[in-house]
């Protein structure tokens, strides 16, 4: 079936199967490989994107059901060579090792920063707890999100 | 007799390569006909060579022909390119090795491009494991860069007709006296190529004088990571790419009895490959590949029926295997009889999964009978050999390239996905990408070995340990020896028939051996009625271990009679660590209140990178210590999903205080593994301190504390 997807501000007509995931369309059909496959069951958050500003597991979202919604991926954050404050904060705190979870972490963090005014450590941990970093950089990720929250304030 | 520390630790006894890649390499070397090239002529005795490493593997050195490898090139434009067979997996060696080159060559970090892990371009390397990169490759690249620096300085000095000592090298330029005598590296080699070789006389900067090494240089490709621009193997999409999918057996040991692939073969663009027990498809989209695999009707024979229920009895059955030599000192049986304090216990560790967030993946392409595979592996040259063996091709017909990879932790030594993708690509006549599903990664990779460790110890009433009788079944011999000063020892590794496929893992047996040893030392301390810290100090003679123990306990605020606290210490692979933990126990649940870890591995190459590794080792270690365990029944996994296999998450992480001791007077050692080893026993010891219950199995509390525990 044909669906029309709005991704990072551009509209794409794509041919999908009824059960095909948004993750699969992003990676295999639109070439947006910054969004990662980690588990395919919504448990690790490597595939996190924003749909209408809210963090969503793209491996659990059917592409056919996100028509007319606005999808943002990690590729949308940098504009004119300028990084998003959270990307800058990830670099500053070196909140990564292998980096495979990083795009999902950043998208979940961007969604969190947009939705919550007062970000305590506890609030960050609670919101981010479904995103896995197997390398164990969690404390640095918390520090990076806090830093970006302060930069925003 | 091979040294057991590398071979057994890996648990996969691959031979070294039998061949070299003469055709590819000569073409490659020809491309360096200008500029400066640093070569390493490998002498038969291997003194200067990175292949020294493989020499540890038992005779590899003898099989290696003397060969010439290009390690570093400086172009006429001044661009510096260095080559290493090591792999970046998140341990940040792309940055730390670049620091080593920049330091010795006196160029900015940004001037150096490091080509890693490409069997067609980089010198042979046994693999990236065992915390060997920093002690060997870092040193190697420092020597190579220093050799380049010296020939450049000498050439400039000769041009200016002044002494070598009268010139300095800085920022990619050689300076003589006055502004007129200043020349860039590129200019120096223009129209007059140079070749440098490393010699015994190559002088390195002392770590005490490091200006670039030893500092917190930011991760080199960090920007590509945070923008999602870095292409992992699984992100590659070459022209004409097909997507692969493998049809797996329902249980371990099952073999193909009958296949009906007609429905799949009728699908447009689908290629089905059935070759022995290999059954897979390639299709124009990943979705189509999944549908085609589902459409294949395959019947399998019954599998092994392996079950976790009998695991620890099974592992104690005698089996053949490389046991290595036991460590024997004094007369352990006599000392055990003498006592007077005697403590016996048995510890177990479960199989655990590496669960790298990027599952195994490969992109394979055949052209004119040559195969190129991009894949995330820790052993590019090993995987190249696997391709040679699997496809009966000449060695110069197989090339393996490893993009910086989404972690491994010891779990990506083998080339499974590479072989599978290459098999499909050969049949399809097009490039094929295969990305294992998370379920495949759990079931068909391999596990950290499970094991049983039995200890009989004796001590005097004053707490001096007099006998240490230690038997490790299947876990492995890494860090099996005790760092304590014990007169009578018998330490034996007993190989077993593992019911599950097992292999290397971060720290590997060092985690199991430290868990058993440091838990047991705690038991002996309590039997003697001595504070665990004082008890350890009484039995230790190793100054470096004492130093980390004191550093950790001072910062933690260790108090002899406090409850809910535990400590452990250890040494492995040149790294020394001590760990203190405080726990809170309530209603059957254990909460980590805080962790303090001290680590020393000689001179620190990148303090921020090291801190990241130590913190990461502790956090990953939490999983195996507290709750990670592979379940299996009737030859199948019972928890091979992230929904069922619990990994450490944000909410599991206590405050972690990392203390790094920088010993600029000592050569740097690796750090990716050893900081992990003290955590599990420190937690177990803290739980004992809180409750009086001794937990002797890893994971310690997969379902909370046992009901009988005093809480």
């Amino acid at each position: 079936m044909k669906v029309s997807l709005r991704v990072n501000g551009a509209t794409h007509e794509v041919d999908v199967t009824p059960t095909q995931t948004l993750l699969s369309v992003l990676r295999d059909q639109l070439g947006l490989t910054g969004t990662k496959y980690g588990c395919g069951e919504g448990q690790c958050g490597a595939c996190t994107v924003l749909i209408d500003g809210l963090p969503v597991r793209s491996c659990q979202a059917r592409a056919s059901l996100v028509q007319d919604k606005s999808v943002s991926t990690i590729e949308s954050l940098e504009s004119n060579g300028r990084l998003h404050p959270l990307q800058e904060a990830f670099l500053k705190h070196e909140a990564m090792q292998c980096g495979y979870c990083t795009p999902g972490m950043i998208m979940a963090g961007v969604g969190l920063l947009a939705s919550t005014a007062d970000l305590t450590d506890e609030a960050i941990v609670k919101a981010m707890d479904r995103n896995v970093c197997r390398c164990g950089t969690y404390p640095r990720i918390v520090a990076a999100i806090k830093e970006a929250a302060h930069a925003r304030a | 007799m091979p040294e057991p520390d590398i071979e057994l630790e890996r648990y996969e006894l691959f031979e070294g390569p039998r061949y070299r890649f003469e055709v590819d390499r000569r073409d490659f070397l020809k491309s360096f006909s200008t500029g400066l090239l640093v070569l390493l002529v490998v002498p038969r005795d291997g003194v200067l060579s990175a292949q020294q490493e493989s020499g540890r593997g038992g005779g590899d050195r003898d099989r290696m022909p003397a060969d010439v490898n290009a390690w570093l090139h400086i172009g006429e434009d001044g661009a510096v390119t260095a080559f290493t067979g090591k792999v970046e997996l998140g341990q940040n060696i792309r940055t730390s090795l670049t620091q080593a080159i920049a330091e010795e060559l006196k160029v900015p970090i940004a001037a150096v491009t490091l080509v890693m892990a490409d069997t067609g371009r980089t010198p042979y390397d046994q693999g990236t494991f065992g915390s060997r990169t920093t002690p060997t490759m870092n040193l190697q690249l420092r020597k190579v860069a220093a050799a380049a620096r010296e020939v450049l300085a000498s050439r400039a000095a000769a041009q200016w007709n002044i002494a070598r000592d009268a010139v300095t090298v800085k920022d990619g330029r050689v300076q003589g006296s006055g502004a007129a005598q200043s020349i860039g590296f590129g200019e120096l080699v223009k129209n007059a190529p140079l070749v440098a070789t490393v010699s015994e006389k190559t002088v390195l900067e002392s770590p005490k004088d490091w200006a670039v090494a030893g500092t917190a240089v930011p991760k080199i490709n960090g920007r590509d990571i945070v923008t999602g621009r870095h292409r992992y193997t699984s992100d590659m999409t070459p022209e004409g790419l097909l997507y692969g999918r493998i049809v797996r057996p329902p249980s371990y040991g099952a073999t193909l009895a009958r296949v009906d692939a007609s429905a799949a073969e009728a699908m447009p663009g689908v290629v089905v490959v059935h070759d022995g027990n290999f059954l897979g498809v390639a299709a124009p989209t990943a979705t189509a590949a999944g549908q085609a695999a589902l459409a294949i009707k395959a019947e399998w024979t019954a599998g092994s029926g392996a079950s976790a229920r009998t695991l620890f009895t099974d592992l104690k059955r005698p089996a053949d295997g490389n046991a290595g030599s036991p460590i024997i000192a004094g007369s352990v049986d006599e000392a055990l009889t003498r006592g007077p304090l005697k403590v016996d216990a048995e510890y177990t560790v479960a199989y655990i999964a590496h669960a790298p967030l990027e599952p195994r993946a490969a992109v394979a392409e055949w052209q004119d009978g040559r195969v190129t595979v991009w894949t995330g592996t820790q052993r590019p040259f090993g995987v190249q050999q696997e391709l040679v063996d699997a496809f009966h091709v000449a060695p110069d017909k197989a090339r393996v390239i490893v993009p910086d990879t989404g972690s491994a932790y010891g779990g990506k030594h083998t080339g499974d996905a590479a072989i599978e993708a290459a098999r499909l690509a050969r049949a399809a006549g097009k490039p094929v990408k295969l990305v294992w599903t998370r379920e495949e990664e759990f079931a068909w990779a391999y596990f950290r070995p499970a094991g049983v460790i039995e200890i009989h110890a004796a001590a005097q009433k004053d707490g001096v340990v007099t006998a240490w009788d230690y038997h490790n079944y299947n876990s492995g011999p890494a860090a099996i020896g005790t760092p304590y000063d014990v007169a009578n020892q018998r330490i034996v590794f007993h190989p077993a028939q593992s019911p599950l496929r097992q292999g290397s893992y971060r720290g590997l047996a060092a985690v199991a051996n430290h868990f058993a040893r440091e838990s047991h030392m705690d038991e002996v301390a309590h039997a003697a009625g001595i504070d665990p810290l004082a008890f350890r100090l009484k039995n230790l003679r190793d100054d470096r271990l004492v130093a980390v123990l004191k550093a950790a306990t001072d910062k933690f605020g260790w108090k002899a009679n406090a409850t809910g606290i535990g400590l452990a210490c250890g040494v492995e692979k040149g790294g020394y660590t001590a760990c203190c933990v405080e726990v809170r126990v309530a209603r059957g649940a254990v909460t980590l209140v805080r962790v303090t870890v001290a680590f020393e591995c000689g001179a620190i190459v990148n303090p921020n990178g090291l801190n990241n590794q130590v913190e990461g080792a502790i956090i990953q270690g939490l999983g195996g210590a507290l709750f990670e365990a592979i379940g299996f029944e009737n030859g199948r996994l019972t928890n091979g999903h992230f929904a069922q296999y619990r990994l450490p998450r944000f909410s599991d992480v206590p405050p972690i205080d990392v203390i790094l001791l920088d010993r600029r007077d000592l050569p740097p050692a690796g750090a990716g593994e050893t900081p992990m080893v003290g955590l599990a026993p420190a937690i177990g010891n803290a739980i004992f301190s809180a409750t009086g219950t001794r937990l002797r199995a890893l994971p310690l509390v997969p379902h909370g504390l046992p009901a009988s525990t005093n809480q």
Side-chain angles (χ1 to χ4, degrees), chain B residues 553-618:
Chain B
T553 49
D554 282 355
K555 189 83 191 289
F556 182 80
W558 181 265
K559 289 195 186 73
N561 294 316
T563 57
I565 62 172
L567 66 84
C569 63
V571 49
E572 169 67 356
K573 299 184 175 111
Y576 292 77
T577 188
C579 186
C580 298
V581 169
E582 181 178 350
V583 300
R584 187 170 54 238
V585 173
R587 295 187 299 281
V590 173
T591 308
L592 299 188
V593 178
R594 62 195 175 109
V595 173
T596 301
V597 57
F599 187 64
E600 186 258 292
C601 57
I604 297 174
V605 180
N606 184 322
N608 193 31
L610 180 60
N611 178 291
N612 207 342
Q613 284 302 310
V614 174
E615 212 166 64
I618 292 293

Side-chain angles (χ1 to χ4, degrees), chain B residues 81 106 109 154 172 301 304 316 321 375 377 422 442-443 527 699:
Chain B
T81 310
K106 309 298 173 195
I109 288 281
S154 299
T301 62
S304 71
K316 285 183 81 172
T375 189
T377 178
F442 266 107

Side-chain angles (χ1 to χ4, degrees), chain B residues 440-506:
Chain B
E440 288 179 294
E441 178 64 39
F442 266 107
W444 301 102
Y446 52 83
F447 301 105
R448 193 267 317 260
V452 181
I453 296 169
E454 202 181 273
I455 311 178
H456 311 278
Q460 297 169 16
K461 284 192 173 145
D462 64 0
V464 171
V465 179
T466 51
W468 191 253
D469 188 16
Y470 187 101
H471 299 268
N472 172 316
Y473 298 87
N474 192 60
S475 263
I480 199 169
T482 176
Y484 297 99
D485 194 38
V486 185
N488 304 290
Q489 305 184 16
R490 177 171 54 214
I491 298 173
V492 191
F493 169 57
H494 304 270
Q497 277 296 349
S498 169
L500 300 187
R501 187 186 184 200
Q502 61 185 17
S504 188
Y505 185 97
R506 189 177 195 172

Side-chain angles (χ1 to χ4, degrees), chain B residues 17 20-21 25 84-85 117-126 377 379-386 400:
Chain B
R20 301 304 306 280
F21 297 86
R25 302 203 62 78
T84 174
D118 176 346
T119 62
R121 300 176 76 195
T122 58
Y124 172 77
D125 186 81
Q126 192 186 13
T377 178
R379 298 174 60 251
F381 290 86
V383 172
Q384 179 192 39
Q385 185 62 40
E386 286 185 52
V400 174

